[in-house]
Every structure is written in structure tokens, then in C-alpha cells.
Amino acid sequence: MRKLSSAIMLFSILIVSGSARPSIREFAFFVSTKGSDSKKGTKEEPFRNLSKALETVVSVPGNSSITIYFRDGTYMLSNTASINNTTLTKGKQLTLTSYGNEKVFLTGGSNVNSSDFQKVTDGAILRKIPTTSRNNVYALDLGRYASNDISLHKNGYGQPRKPSPIELFINEDPASLARWPKDSTISIVSVVPAAEISGGEKAAFTTGAILPTRWESPSHIWIAGALTKNWAFDNLPVLSLEPKKNLVRLSDKAKYKIVKAPDKRRQQFGDSRTLGSFFFYNVTEELTRNREYVMDPQSKKLYVYLDSESDLEKCSISTLATPLIEISNTEAIRIKGLNFGLGRSSAIKISRSSNILIENCTFKNFGLLAIDAANCMKLKVQTSTIMNTGSGAIVMSGGNRKTLQPSENYIENCVITNFSRLYRSYSPAINIQGVGITVKNNDISVAPGQAIIFQGNDHVISYNNISDVCQEFGDVGAIYTGRDPSSTGTMIIHNLFGKIQNEASPLVTAIYIDDGSGGFSIANNIFLESGTTKSNGFGAIHINGGSHTNIDNNVFLNCRKAFSYKAWTDKKWKQTFITNKENLARITQTVDIRSKIFQKKYPHLQNFFALSSSKKRENYVDGNYFYNVGKIDNSPGYIIHNSITTQGNSDFSPKRQRALQEDDVPAEVKQSKSWKNIEFDKIGAKFTDI
């Protein structure tokens, strides 16, 4: 190991905390936009790059506490900064933070020089752009900023989560790829049978709208929409168009077969009005709105429509296709007070690490996630803001499911919004797996699909404020789990669900326990305007086939239906979990629900495989309060006791421009025992600014 320079050693402080303990030395290194990697890394002579500071950390002796301070400014990372067990040998602790209250931004993108934008003069491009738009369209040669990878790519349900294409941001907000129609979608009228598909095409269908004839070439055009399922959103490339036949041919296909739009009868049975509909995007001929753009991978150029030329000073693009920071096989790291912005992948990726704290940070404008953490223990993300991510906000796993050892991971006191811009379906704000993860005091809002998806055991989801999610799809829930009876023991308590519904589908719910899962506790929650808005559909809580969930002391306000349940026959149960080899392996090999530890911890799993027509699958409802609730499910799936129903002021509804306040709640509700068990003042994130 090489020796640290004497100048750096001046920053070490020897701490002697008693003869029984080894001394801990403290080291500080500084990084500045005005620094140089040939310098010493001191406050007076800072490094220029994080990577250089991390190289220096390797040479710090053990039993050391090391802090890397960033001075104010924006740091463009052209490569991932890696921290592993070589960087941090056992006994070292590392903190990455800003110096004092200085504003620090780490970015995987580039600000674009306004002079690099040029008015379009290429005749072939001008011919495509509408006459009224030509004076407002600017071209940018991406070759100066990005690699050769500037193409759009397929994404959607069941597809690998790849880094996003290069994106344009204006004044730190995502710009939009030019689309048609602008504010609506087109219905699929008929699907060409697979037997009639030939050549390079993978799928074809006719539409219910007259296709524009002015589009010269579809080579860069894509479509996006709920093409196959109520709950699946896909992006696929167009191969060719035949406007006279209203025929669209695609050069790739989704995981499932494309379907036509449902008729009114199918909608009555639950199909979403958005199913079998789509829009075109990346269409040069549709550059007609402010801050719309198109990507041309052949010429490596981007074309953007701007109402104001001053916006050219505010443009940036995402370029880095790997995480900004990657942490693996290490421990004892703290990341505090940093702002992460722009990137095609995720901001931070963590694997097989422990004792990691991420706090007081912001994450904005990433193509995938803010934090992607796998197989971690004692990882805590707290007091941070996440917005405008493409494929969710936080993915986290940890703990040992076979032994039920908890991970002690936390996601707490975060504000998360607009977190599934690109992968729109099954991209929740928080996706947790493993054992013993706590999701607490978070504000989660604005999404086409779920807020939280969980698998595994003994999680605690509490004191979260969840609103305006599940806005586009059907057969979805704000909190969702399913298809794994071994995933049990989670508590969903003291949460506020606000306006978890949409007009496109009645199959929307606040809590969705799907496909035979059960054994949860749902208690002391508030369900406001959640579940179906129709006479049919899901209640605020929907259980599909599962049992042994306790639903206690919740308050339901202005819900059309409180509960819904779909009963399973023994035959369905057997087909799903006994004869289905994949599902059987999930409950007998991935974990074994027959093991002593599972049988003792979860008594409802005893005799799981002893099917008989007399075996009851029931959920237990006790002490709930229903105010202006149209229907309380009395199906055999629920055993209901000690519940109170009140039909109060039918005009009661909190102001939608803000979250529910306690003053909004009718007096008779607040006098109920159910309400008194709810700790309303503790719900939601407890900070206003970082």
C-alpha cells in the first residue's frame, strides 16, 4: 500500500476513546469543480473528480472514518463511480456529502450549449415539418454529446429494463417526443391473424382513425399504449403504414398478443377503456407543440420545437447509460445532502452491502430508478425527494426468506412523485422483496399504476400518504402483492389512500391481494374515494382467492364499495399452486412453507396442501367504519364483525388541490372508535424542503 502524502495526513484526527477500543482516525478529502486530480485533495488543493478521491480512499489505513466533501457546483460523471470492498476494506467508514450547505449536483448528463442548436435548413427535414412550425424548430447534432447509441428501443411489460434512450430536458423538466394524436389515443379495430403475418413484420392491426397521409416515412415512428392487457403498457416500432387501409405494421412484438379495443359489454365486465388503444410518437411531421422533439438515429440529430428561443439556454440531455454510483460487497457508507440529476440508468446501484445510509438527497430525471438495491442489510433511505424517474423510484431486497432473518432495511420520510414516465406499467414507486423491510412516512403520488409492490415476509408499510396513483390501468392496486402464499406476514397500517380510482376501469383498488396470497394485517388505514366508481368492479380492498387477512379498525370515506373478493374453487387452487411447477417451486424450494419455521410463524399455512371442499378461505373484518360507502361486501370471503355504517353529507369531499386534512373529516367520523385508533397527524413525510 502506498503512503498517504503528508499534506493529506494533516487531515487525520486521532481519536482515542478508551484503552479497550482501537483508535479511529478521521480523514477528509475535497472535490471541487475548480480542482485538479494532480492536487492533494485538501480543502486548499481539492481534487476535480470523485473517482480520484475514491482512488485515494484505497490507501487510507483501516479503522478510519473518511469523508469526501464536494464543494458547490455540478459534477458531470462520464463513468460510474464504483465503491466496493477494495475501496473500503473492513473497518473503514465512508461519507459522501456537500461541504457545509453548499449545493452539489451529480449528473449523468450534459448541459447543451445554445450555440449548438441550429435552425433547420435541410430541405428534406423542412418538407416534413408543418409550415407553421418551421421557424420554431431547431436541430442539435448529438454526436458532440453522446455515443452512437441514440436509438429508441422497445420497452414494456415483461421486457428487460434497459437504460432509457437519450432524453431531452428543458429547465430540468422532461421534454416530450412529438406524438399523434396529441391528447388522446386511437383504438385498434381488428388484429391481423398471426398466420397472415409475413416478411419483417411481427404484428399488424387496423385502427379506428384515419391515418395521416403526410407522414413520408415511418422508419423512426413508434407506438405506445395498453396494447395487450388492462395492466400492461408497451412501446413498439412501426414497420410500415397503409393509410388507405388504416393498417399499421410493426417490426417487433410485445410479450402478449395485441388485442382490439373492448366494446361496451366487455367494459362492463371490467376491461379498461384504454385497452387496445395507442398513440404514435417520435413523428417529425407532428412537431407542433412547445418542447416537443424527435430523435433521428440515422443522422444522429435531435429536432425540437420551441415557442421561445430563450429555452435554448435551458436544455440538457441524459447521456450516461450506467449508474452514477455503484456500491457492492461493502459496508458503512453514508451519502448525505447530494442532488442527483440526469441519467439514462439509475442514480445509485447497491448490491450485497450493509449499513448504508442515504439521506437528505434529491433524485430527478433518471431513465430507470433512483436507487436499485439488491441483497442488502441495514440499508436506510430517508428524508429524500424522488421525481421524474422512468421505471420506478426504489427497488430494494434483503434478508433471508428461508430463515426469516429480517433485513432491517428502511425507506422512510421520502417524497416520491411521477416515477414511471417511461416503463409505465408495473413500475411502482417502491418495490420491496425479502424479509423485514419498513416503508414508513412517505408521500407517493402521480402514477399510471401502483405505488408499492411487495413480495416476501414481515414487511411493515405504515404511515404513508398515497394519492392519485393507478390513474391509467385496470386490474391494479396502489399496494399490490400476489401469486405467492409464502409471501405473508406483512402489516399495512396507518396509511392514507386518497383518490385511488380512475374512469377508464372499475378494476382499481387501494390494496390488492392477488392470486391466492394472504395472511396480512390491514389496520388503522384511511380509504378516501378509493376503488371502483361504477356499480361493478373492485372495492377499496380487493382479495383474489386468498385468505387469513385481518382487516381491522379502518375508515372508509366516500367509497363506492369497501371490499370485493373473488372466490377460488379447490380445482383452481390446485391448478395454481400444486400442479403448476413454477408456483410449486416458489413455495417449496425458494422457501419451504412446510418447514418448522414457516409452520410456527404462520399457522394459516398448516395443512396448505390438504385440499377439500370443506376447507374455508376466509378473511376477517372487525371494527371498521364506513362513511358514505355504497356497498360492503358480504361474500363468503369475508367474516365481518363490529362495523359501523353512516350515510352522511353526500357533498362531503376534501378539496382536491390538497391532501386530506383532519378538519375535512366529518365530526361523526372523528367520534368513532375506528378513527380514534388512527394516528392521523403521523401520516406522510415530515419535511417540506431538503
Side-chain angles (χ1 to χ4, degrees):
M1 179 184 294
R2 67 181 180 82
K3 294 183 179 180
L4 294 173
S5 70
S6 58
I8 294 177
M9 286 296 290
L10 291 175
F11 280 85
S12 69
I13 303 171
L14 183 63
I15 300 176
V16 180
S17 55
S19 58
R21 297 182 181 180
S23 60
I24 297 177
R25 286 175 287 189
E26 293 191 356
F27 293 84
F29 302 104
F30 289 79
V31 179
S32 170
T33 57
K34 300 175 182 178
S36 169
D37 287 348
S38 64
K39 300 294 185 180
K40 300 175 181 179
T42 64
K43 183 178 178 182
E44 294 77 17
E45 298 185 58
F47 294 133
R48 175 62 181 85
N49 294 296
L50 171 60
S51 57
K52 179 62 178 178
L54 291 173
E55 286 178 16
T56 309
V57 167
V58 175
S59 300
V60 173
N63 296 320
S64 299
S65 177
I66 308 152
T67 301
I68 297 176
Y69 289 107
F70 292 88
R71 303 307 304 264
D72 69 306
T74 299
Y75 297 83
M76 164 60 186
L77 276 66
S78 56
N79 294 290
T80 296
S82 296
I83 306 172
N84 52 40
N85 54 2
T86 301
T87 315
L88 283 183
T89 52
K90 194 169 183 63
K92 294 182 185 179
Q93 304 169 22
L94 175 65
T95 297
L96 306 180
T97 188
S98 59
Y99 181 72
N101 294 319
E102 295 180 2
K103 293 289 186 181
V104 174
F105 298 87
L106 302 183
T107 177
S110 301
N111 291 326
V112 180
N113 295 324
S114 59
S115 59
D116 287 343
F117 284 100
Q118 303 293 327
K119 283 288 186 72
V120 177
T121 57
D122 185 321
I125 300 299
L126 283 173
R127 187 170 62 250
K128 293 183 178 182
I129 299 171
T131 304
T132 55
S133 300
R134 290 175 183 173
N135 289 331
N136 296 83
V137 177
Y138 300 84
L140 174 68
D141 186 348
L142 292 171
R144 300 185 182 185
Y145 295 91
S147 66
N148 293 327
D149 179 21
I150 64 170
S151 300
L152 303 180
H153 58 70
K154 179 174 74 169
N155 74 48
Y157 181 82
Q159 306 296 336
R161 299 287 170 116
K162 299 178 181 178
S164 70
I166 291 169
E167 291 187 271
L168 174 67
F169 298 85
I170 303 174
N171 200 23
E172 298 187 10
D173 291 324
S176 301
L177 287 162
R179 59 172 280 179
W180 183 87
K182 295 297 186 186
D183 302 304
S184 61
T185 56
I186 305 167
S187 296
I188 296 173
V189 173
S190 65
V191 178
V192 177
E196 299 178 19
I197 300 297
S198 61
E201 64 185 290
K202 302 295 183 180
F205 55 83
T206 61
T207 76
I210 299 174
L211 299 179
T213 57
R214 64 181 181 276
W215 298 353
E216 291 188 8
S217 171
S219 58
H220 308 318
I221 297 176
W222 289 65
I223 66 167
L227 303 171
T228 63
K229 301 286 184 181
N230 282 325
W231 35 262
F233 192 90
D234 289 286
N235 295 260
L236 297 169
V238 173
L239 177 65
S240 64
L241 300 171
E242 295 185 34
K244 292 182 179 180
K245 298 180 180 179
N246 289 333
L247 181 64
V248 179
R249 300 184 188 276
L250 304 178
S251 58
D252 210 333
K253 59 183 179 180
K255 179 179 176 65
Y256 299 107
K257 292 181 180 180
I258 292 174
V259 299
K260 67 179 183 180
D263 56 24
K264 290 184 178 180
R265 180 178 176 277
R266 284 173 58 196
Q267 290 179 25
Q268 289 176 350
F269 282 93
D271 276 352
S272 171
R273 293 208 304 262
T274 61
L275 179 62
S277 64
F278 70 100
F279 59 88
F280 294 96
Y281 68 95
N282 203 44
V283 186
T284 305
E285 289 85 350
E286 300 301 329
L287 275 170
T288 58
R289 277 193 180 175
N290 188 37
R291 298 184 175 183
E292 284 187 330
Y293 71 104
V294 296
M295 301 279 287
D296 185 344
Q298 290 184 347
S299 66
K300 299 182 182 179
K301 289 186 177 181
L302 176 153
Y303 300 94
V304 59
Y305 180 104
L306 297 174
D307 283 340
S308 173
E309 192 170 350
S310 64
D311 276 349
L312 295 175
E313 304 284 345
K314 309 170 186 176
C315 291
S316 55
I317 57 173
S318 57
T319 54
L320 184 61
T322 56
L324 272 62
I325 295 176
E326 184 166 2
I327 299 168
S328 61
N329 299 299
T330 190
E331 61 182 3
I333 297 174
R334 183 186 188 193
I335 300 174
K336 178 182 179 182
L338 302 180
N339 301 286
F340 295 84
L342 287 185
R344 297 170 57 192
S345 181
S346 300
I348 301 175
K349 185 173 183 179
I350 311 169
S351 60
R352 300 177 301 279
S353 297
S354 62
N355 291 295
I356 310 294
L357 173 61
I358 300 170
E359 63 177 337
N360 295 96
C361 293
T362 65
F363 301 87
K364 188 175 182 181
N365 296 334
F366 285 90
L368 291 179
L369 303 161
I371 299 166
D372 183 359
N375 300 313
C376 293
M377 303 288 285
K378 296 183 179 179
L379 164 62
K380 190 168 187 177
V381 180
Q382 68 179 25
T383 321
S384 295
T385 296
I386 302 171
M387 63 186 301
N388 295 348
T389 49
S391 182
I394 301 172
V395 171
M396 183 181 290
S397 67
N400 187 320
R401 290 202 61 216
K402 288 190 174 183
T403 65
L404 297 181
Q405 178 190 8
S407 66
E408 300 182 57
N409 293 338
Y410 276 78
I411 302 169
E412 183 174 2
N413 203 32
C414 294
V415 175
I416 306 174
T417 187
N418 192 27
F419 46 83
S420 43
R421 293 185 301 108
L422 304 176
Y423 288 86
R424 297 189 68 77
S425 57
Y426 277 80
S427 296
I430 296 171
N431 191 330
I432 55 174
Q433 301 176 40
V435 185
I437 298 176
T438 297
V439 179
K440 180 181 179 183
N441 285 113
N442 301 288
D443 287 347
I444 303 174
S445 64
V446 187
Q450 301 93 336
I452 299 171
I453 293 178
F454 71 90
Q455 294 287 338
N457 302 82
D458 304 339
H459 306 305
V460 179
I461 301 171
S462 62
Y463 298 100
N464 300 288
N465 182 2
I466 301 173
S467 63
D468 297 299
V469 298
C470 299
Q471 295 296 291
E472 292 183 12
F473 303 119
D475 202 13
V476 292
I479 294 181
Y480 176 89
T481 192
R483 192 151 286 222
D484 187 355
S486 72
S487 290
T488 187
T490 288
M491 295 191 295
I492 304 172
I493 55 175
H494 291 288
N495 300 284
L496 168 60
F497 298 88
K499 201 171 177 61
I500 313 299
Q501 53 192 204
N502 68 54
E503 294 300 323
S505 174
L507 304 184
V508 175
T509 180
I511 299 177
Y512 192 164
I513 301 172
D514 199 7
D515 286 340
S517 292
F520 307 110
S521 175
I522 301 173
N524 303 322
N525 301 284
I526 303 169
F527 298 91
L528 169 67
E529 297 174 2
S530 295
T532 181
T533 60
K534 313 294 183 183
S535 58
N536 64 323
F538 291 170
I541 298 172
H542 179 71
I543 299 178
N544 181 17
S547 64
H548 293 88
T549 288
N550 295 313
I551 304 171
D552 303 323
N553 298 311
N554 301 281
V555 173
F556 298 79
L557 304 173
N558 287 11
C559 299
R560 188 71 179 263
K561 184 187 294 186
F563 311 117
S564 52
Y565 182 82
K566 185 175 181 180
W568 280 21
T569 63
D570 287 345
K571 180 180 179 181
K572 168 78 169 176
W573 195 266
K574 182 177 180 180
Q575 288 175 338
T576 303
F577 295 117
I578 298 177
T579 60
N580 183 305
K581 292 182 179 180
E582 179 182 351
N583 290 338
L584 181 62
R586 189 177 290 144
I587 60 177
T588 60
Q589 295 179 28
T590 303
V591 300
D592 191 348
I593 63 173
R594 301 164 299 184
S595 67
K596 290 183 179 180
I597 189 169
F598 267 76
Q599 294 281 297
K600 181 179 179 180
K601 186 73 178 287
Y602 313 116
H604 69 277
L605 293 178
Q606 296 173 8
N607 302 316
F608 180 89
F609 296 100
L611 300 180
S612 70
S613 58
S614 62
K615 184 173 182 179
K616 293 183 178 180
R617 299 188 185 94
E618 297 171 336
N619 301 280
Y620 311 106
V621 180
D622 188 50
N624 296 276
Y625 190 95
F626 307 98
Y627 184 87
N628 286 349
V629 172
K631 182 180 180 181
I632 302 169
D633 195 299
N634 58 359
S635 73
Y638 294 106
I639 304 299
I640 301 176
H641 295 289
N642 304 317
S643 295
I644 298 174
T645 301
T646 302
Q647 294 301 318
N649 181 1
S650 60
D651 293 331
F652 159 68
S653 182
K655 297 178 181 178
R656 294 315 310 163
Q657 63 266 29
R658 61 172 171 80
L660 178 72
Q661 305 294 318
E662 192 163 10
D663 289 343
D664 297 325
V665 179
E668 57 263 50
V669 176
K670 289 190 282 188
Q671 291 169 4
S672 69
K673 180 180 177 181
S674 299
W675 182 268
K676 291 176 181 177
N677 288 325
I678 292 172
E679 299 174 309
F680 185 85
D681 60 330
K682 295 182 180 180
I683 296 174
K686 299 303 176 185
F687 71 100
T688 56
D689 193 17
I690 295 178

